[in-house]
Amino acid sequence: MYAITIPEPGGPEALVWDEVPDPVPGEGEVLVEVVASAVNRADLMQRQGFYAPPPGASPYPGLECAGRIVESGPGVSGWAVGDEVCALLAGGGYAGKVVVPAGQLLPVPEGVDLKRAAALPEVACTVWSNVFMISHLRPGETLLVHGGSSGIGTMAIQLAKAVGAKVAVTAGTKEKLDFCAELGADILINYREQDFVEEIERATDGAGADVILDNMGAKYLDRNVRALAVNGRLAIIGLQGGAKGELNIGALLTKRAAVSATSLRARPLGEKAAIVAAVREHVWPLIDSGHVRPVVDRELPMSEAAAAHRILEESGHIGKVLLIAP
């Protein structure tokens, strides 16, 4: 098969489309023939040499895919050769085939094209686990999503609205904010022109955001704490603004607030399987019914992964960028 390899860390040009051995499924795993994968910022970090795959995972980038099961390993039940699936991966999505633990498989939702299903697993699992399983967003509460037009952001808007929450988003252009509004966002904040702390305070009559989903890390840490409501929950899922910041514990105590920081990739298989099962139970019916949909900016051939990485680096997208296998 062919896969995107990274012989040496570097810029997008470090991604090489090359022939590699086919993977072989082991106990509790299936082999999926990949139809499409999606690009995540974690892939960019891996390419740069900053985010190595967990031990035993595929060395190739790609944290989600969609395709068809072509082989089943020992101990797999509930799935059969020929099933169309999408999957949460620890790596290997940028390839012709990938081995997947059976607990990380999801059926393709009703009405969703197989290729576009590749845009769902990582964002659905990230949003559901952080916003709902950890931060317990409830109907009537306010969710602030940084990067509202990203893949994560577009999923968070739709899921929060589906459970009856109010949604605020930050984005850097009017086009992106307008798209967030089409998805249901109530409070639109241009982070280049507005202070999100002031805007959240104004929009909530001084109450603040009950839950904040943050992809920036250190750069926004102090302002995120100031923007939280009493009993607020800050969920950090990215470090685009740096890894080290100063946390005002006094402010947290005053607000009885909480800060969590999580990633999916390195979690034990059992934890990932539990998240995938929760997504199948709670999110998939919303997609089947059309209340939530994948948001895809564009599709590129998998061999052009370097171009896809440049698009993400320039933030020139809304939703997900897909890589289509030959």
Side-chain angles (χ1 to χ4, degrees):
M1 71 172 190
Y2 278 81
I4 291 291
T5 65
I6 310 173
E8 295 290 338
E13 68 282 355
L15 300 174
V16 178
W17 184 241
D18 201 1
E19 192 167 7
V20 299
D22 283 13
V24 178
E27 180 76 26
E29 297 177 331
V30 302
L31 182 65
V32 173
E33 184 177 53
V34 176
V35 170
S37 185
V39 182
N40 292 279
R41 289 198 175 271
D43 304 336
L44 278 59
M45 293 175 62
Q46 179 175 340
R47 187 203 74 218
Q48 295 164 342
F50 300 135
Y51 195 21
S58 169
Y60 316 126
L63 299 181
E64 57 193 336
C65 75
R68 299 177 181 88
I69 296 176
V70 292
E71 186 178 343
S72 182
V76 173
S77 61
W79 302 96
V81 170
D83 285 349
E84 293 190 341
V85 298
C86 52
L88 180 70
L89 308 173
Y94 293 17
K97 296 175 183 176
V98 65
V99 165
V100 186
Q104 291 167 218
L105 295 169
L106 287 157
V108 175
E110 293 289 333
V112 176
D113 175 80
L114 179 57
K115 291 187 295 184
R116 294 175 72 88
L120 290 170
E122 178 74 14
V123 295
C125 289
T126 297
V127 172
W128 190 261
S129 62
N130 283 278
V131 175
F132 297 94
M133 296 175 72
I134 295 174
S135 299
H136 304 290
L137 181 70
R138 293 181 287 268
E141 291 191 323
T142 297
L143 169 69
L144 168 59
V145 182
H146 291 301
S149 62
S150 66
I152 293 289
T154 54
M155 177 59 66
I157 294 167
Q158 294 181 83
L159 289 181
K161 294 302 293 184
V163 302
K166 188 175 184 179
V167 180
V169 297
T170 63
T173 68
K174 183 179 184 300
E175 176 192 12
K176 291 181 176 181
L177 289 172
D178 287 346
F179 190 86
C180 292
E182 291 176 15
L183 291 178
D186 306 284
I187 304 164
L188 310 175
I189 304 168
N190 187 324
Y191 67 80
R192 300 182 191 277
E193 301 172 356
Q194 299 168 291
D195 184 306
F196 70 80
V197 179
E198 295 177 358
E199 296 303 319
I200 287 295
E201 183 175 358
R202 181 179 300 114
T204 61
D205 295 325
D210 299 287
V211 176
I212 299 177
L213 186 62
D214 174 62
N215 59 354
M216 294 300 292
K219 183 177 180 180
Y220 278 11
L221 182 58
D222 179 67
R223 282 190 287 164
N224 277 333
V225 172
R226 287 192 279 127
L228 281 174
V230 173
N231 295 316
R233 291 86 73 195
L234 168 61
I236 300 173
I237 59 169
L239 301 172
Q240 293 180 44
K244 294 183 179 180
E246 186 171 304
L247 179 62
N248 186 337
I249 299 175
L252 281 182
L253 287 170
T254 299
K255 293 187 174 185
R256 303 187 296 280
V259 178
S260 63
T262 71
S263 65
L264 272 174
R265 190 179 198 182
R267 288 186 184 225
L269 292 181
E271 290 187 18
K272 285 194 273 193
I275 291 170
V276 169
V279 164
R280 184 170 182 176
E281 178 182 356
H282 298 286
V283 178
W284 250 228
L286 295 170
I287 301 174
D288 288 337
S289 66
H291 288 91
V292 173
R293 61 182 175 90
V295 176
V296 176
D297 185 279
R298 68 194 82 180
E299 302 174 0
L300 296 174
M302 193 170 286
S303 59
E304 297 179 17
H309 277 219
R310 292 188 181 97
I311 291 167
L312 257 70
E313 288 181 335
E314 296 166 0
S315 294
H317 64 294
I318 293 175
K320 302 300 289 277
V321 176
L322 298 186
L323 296 176
I324 308 302

